[in-house]
Amino acid sequence: MSEQIQVALKEALERPNLVAFVVLFLCGFFVMTTNSNMIKKLIGIYLLQTSVLLLLVTIGVKQDASVPILIADHTESSETIVPADYYVNPLPHVLTLTAIVVQVATLGVSLALVAAIYRKYSSLDENEVLQRIE
Amino acid sequence: MMEFFEIALLILLITTAVGISRVRNLISAVLVLACYSFLMAAVWAQLGAVDVAFVEAVVGAGLATVLFLLTLFRARAQDTQIRRARTPLVALLGLPLLGFLLLYAAVDLPPYPDGRDGQDLGKASTRVAAEYLQKSYQKTETPNVVTAVLMDYRAFDTLIETGVIFTAGIACALLLRDRAK
């Protein structure tokens, strides 16, 4: 049994980003679900989203690979086929770029909603807002 | 050495995330969140995702923090202080279970593959992804592969994303306009 735990720990340490993803995801989920303050909930959603993006970028990593910007040797003539194992996988980066921008756009809209609610009910706490509606 | 640097950054990242969940003042929470965003940008730069790191540092740590602070500066001081409610039992039991399941699944994901000497790169980085790296320069003449994919192969997608941001801007303007007029 203790050997199994040792093997599991070793396997987890070989993937530090995935362990960090799990911890950050749980942290964000905890903040999002257990707070009744709307700003704190939005902070939790932000944590959760960035943790998922961390997982997405981690999937594209290769050992000893460089950033996906081609070096001069590979851009001398337009006929060279670039060796793919020199560079990390660029496709998760593209998806992540789009996701970050959309995430901040939706964050802006939800903060505007919170500001409108605060102007009408003068509270950031969702329980107090519900009481004042009734 | 790089491995050590990465683990140190991840420990800092987790510390700031736990700090965000414990801190009671909302403005402090937002500022710690900005810290977290910058650390996340550092982790991404270290993983080779430089474009993502730029965007996270500018949009995530900069713009998102400004938006949070703009909302909070309108609020009265006593409203930016949160009272801690009791943590529900479902969260105390359910979240560790969720964490165990995620870790159990995470061990099945591959560690960083080493593609040199003809070794397998894993499913995520072969076929289409390798094709983009090998041939995008011939087709687009852009040395930065991320830019080539974003602005050439998926230009239409990026255009519609601009539409999403425009819609979000209009929604903000409509929500925040002065009703008194």
Side-chain angles (χ1 to χ4, degrees), chain A residues 11 15 17 63 78 118 128, chain B residues 6 79 83 107 109 113 138:
Chain A
E11 287 199 327
R15 304 162 177 79
N17 286 16
Q63 210 130 44
S78 57
Y118 184 78
E128 280 176 25
Chain B
E6 188 185 337
D79 286 330
R83 291 172 291 283
V107 173
L109 287 165
Q138 294 175 13

Side-chain angles (χ1 to χ4, degrees), chain A residues 64-79:
Chain A
D64 299 325
S66 172
V67 295
I69 299 171
L70 306 180
I71 55 170
D73 288 0
H74 295 152
T75 56
E76 266 171 358
S77 76
S78 57
E79 265 90 63

Side-chain angles (χ1 to χ4, degrees), chain A residues 11 15 17 29 31 37 40 46 50 61 63-64 68 70 78-80 82 89 93 97-98 101 104 118 128, chain B residues 6 10 20 23 36-37 55-56 60 76 79 82-83 95 107 109 112-113 116 124 129 134 138 143 145 161:
Chain A
E11 287 199 327
R15 304 162 177 79
N17 286 16
F29 204 69
V31 174
N37 189 293
K40 204 74 193 272
Y46 187 90
T50 41
V61 176
Q63 210 130 44
D64 299 325
L70 306 180
S78 57
E79 265 90 63
T80 29
V82 180
N89 187 352
H93 301 182
L97 280 180
T98 312
V101 174
V104 174
Y118 184 78
E128 280 176 25
Chain B
E6 188 185 337
L10 289 175
I20 290 166
V23 80
Y36 167 89
S37 276
V55 171
E56 174 68 22
R76 288 186 310 254
D79 286 330
I82 54 168
R83 291 172 291 283
L95 287 180
V107 173
L109 287 165
Y112 301 153
R116 304 287 161 85
Q134 285 160 353
Q138 294 175 13
V145 184
E161 193 194 318

Side-chain angles (χ1 to χ4, degrees), chain A residues 85-97:
Chain A
D85 53 353
Y86 269 69
Y87 304 103
V88 293
N89 187 352
L91 296 189
H93 301 182
V94 180
L95 293 177
T96 313
L97 280 180

